[in-house]
Amino acid sequence: MTVDHPLLHDKPLAHIELELVWQDFPGTRGGLGKYYRGYRLDPPIRNGSFVVRVTAPLAGWTDSGRSLKLLGAGGRTWFELTARGAKRVGAMPLTLELVAPVQGFGDDAYPAAIADASLRAAQGERVVLPNPPWRAMVSRIGLRVAPA
């Protein structure tokens, strides 16, 4: 995605903070652990399971390419970029690549989870039907900048 705002064009910057707020985050008690419980994965998925590599290929800025937890408190992600000296930014390309868990958001595991739950239900067991995989979509981006 590309993040753009007049603040990124106005003057040279030394520091940028971005906050991503995720749409439809299952923030009920138990969070993603409860949301994914019907998958019966080992290890189970929890809020802290998702790790992304953030890349903002801006010349002279640090912290790009590091990995961080996708979901912080309230289904939000915060990260910072710091300039080596004052830098103009302009429109900022930004990539978030999911690097963990290996099963991603559960797209490949969902059909097996449905089949497992159906089989156990047919045998008379009370089961929790699995939710469809959560879709990580940004609903809002917060931006804070520090001029140089």
Side-chain angles (χ1 to χ4, degrees):
M1 73 177 138
T2 300
V3 177
D4 201 1
H5 190 277
L7 289 172
L8 297 173
H9 296 270
D10 284 351
K11 55 186 106 178
L13 301 174
H15 189 80
I16 300 171
E17 291 181 19
L18 284 168
E19 173 194 34
L20 305 177
V21 179
W22 299 99
Q23 180 176 316
D24 300 326
F25 174 68
T28 59
R29 181 179 219 115
L32 290 174
K34 183 175 181 181
Y35 186 83
Y36 280 101
R37 73 179 175 188
Y39 284 63
R40 298 168 40 127
L41 296 170
D42 186 24
I45 291 177
R46 306 217 186 286
N47 286 3
S49 298
F50 296 103
V51 176
V52 292
R53 181 176 301 112
V54 177
T55 308
L58 299 170
W61 290 79
T62 62
D63 302 328
S64 183
R66 70 183 173 133
S67 294
L68 56 95
K69 300 273 186 202
L70 178 64
L71 298 165
R76 299 165 189 258
T77 303
W78 277 97
F79 62 94
E80 306 173 40
L81 298 167
T82 305
R84 291 187 290 263
K87 301 288 180 190
R88 288 204 178 272
V89 177
M92 181 171 56
L94 186 66
T95 302
L96 279 77
E97 176 190 1
L98 187 68
V99 295
V102 294
Q103 67 265 31
F105 289 104
D107 292 290
D108 291 341
Y110 183 62
I114 288 287
D116 176 63
S118 298
L119 179 61
R120 291 185 297 117
Q123 293 170 344
E125 187 179 333
R126 286 188 72 173
V127 297
V128 174
L129 290 177
N131 291 307
W134 177 62
R135 298 285 173 234
M137 294 185 291
V138 175
S139 66
R140 190 180 74 215
I141 298 174
L143 175 67
R144 292 185 190 150
V145 298

